[in-house]
Structure formats: C-alpha cells, structure tokens
Amino acid sequence: MKLNKEEQETLVTKLNQVWKIKFCEVCNQTNWMIDDTLFELREFHGGRTVLGSGAIKPLITISCNSCGNTKMMNAIQLGLVDPKSPDGEKKEGGGNE
C-alpha cells in the first residue's frame, strides 16, 4: 500500500522524533532511503500460506543506500495504520494520534 504525500510527511516527522542514532550499524554511513510503501510481515505457518490466519505486522522499510542494510519499523506505532480497523486501513489523514 503506497503512502500519500501527507502520510509520507507524517512518517518523516515521526521518524525524526524517535530515530536518534542514524548511523548504519553495518557501514557507519547516514545515507538512508525511506520507502513510501507499507509492507507486511506474516506469522510463520511452517512454510504454508494461510490466508486470514495469524498475526500480521504492517511495516515501513528504511534501507542504507551505501550497503543495503534494511530496518523495519512498525507502521502502527508510527501512526500510519489504525490497529482497530479490521482491514488494516490507514488512519484518517495519516495522523499521529
């Protein structure tokens, strides 16, 4: 799911509040790319795809442009996804509630 311009701005604002040490722990650079797409991490079911079963975590990825090290951050905690929405819809206005 792509983030719109307002949601991208909300993401950058929130990241600036919580992400204090921006040096890559692999190559020690500070050249990061923030993805504008939400991804999901699904509960493991022994290699089988089980739709509608198990936990799913919505994530934002941030990758080091120098070495490729990739961080994943929870989109719910960043205020981009409403955990109470049954279909995982984004919060109204991408708000920081």
Side-chain angles (χ1 to χ4, degrees):
M1 180 182 301
K2 289 277 188 195
L3 299 177
N4 63 35
K5 186 75 170 165
E6 182 182 340
E7 292 163 337
Q8 290 176 34
E9 290 170 3
T10 297
L11 172 61
V12 170
T13 298
K14 184 64 174 181
L15 284 175
N16 282 329
Q17 291 171 359
V18 300
W19 190 15
K20 303 300 181 192
I21 301 172
K22 296 180 181 165
F23 286 97
C24 175
E25 58 274 1
V26 174
C27 69
N28 209 33
Q29 300 296 309
T30 58
N31 187 12
W32 296 97
M33 179 184 70
I34 302 168
D35 208 315
D36 66 351
T37 303
L38 288 176
F39 295 93
E40 61 185 37
L41 183 64
R42 296 180 176 272
E43 182 178 333
F44 182 68
H45 290 280
R48 300 180 319 275
T49 301
V50 180
L51 298 177
S53 176
I56 297 175
K57 301 265 188 230
L59 303 167
I60 288 292
T61 60
I62 305 167
S63 300
C64 177
N65 283 323
S66 298
C67 72
N69 179 28
T70 302
K71 297 180 176 295
M72 295 184 286
M73 296 194 72
N74 188 310
I76 293 171
Q77 289 183 277
L78 292 173
L80 298 170
V81 174
D82 184 351
K84 295 178 182 159
S85 176
D87 56 2
E89 282 300 310
K90 293 179 265 187
K91 286 188 176 180
E92 283 296 315
N96 244 357
E97 302 172 70

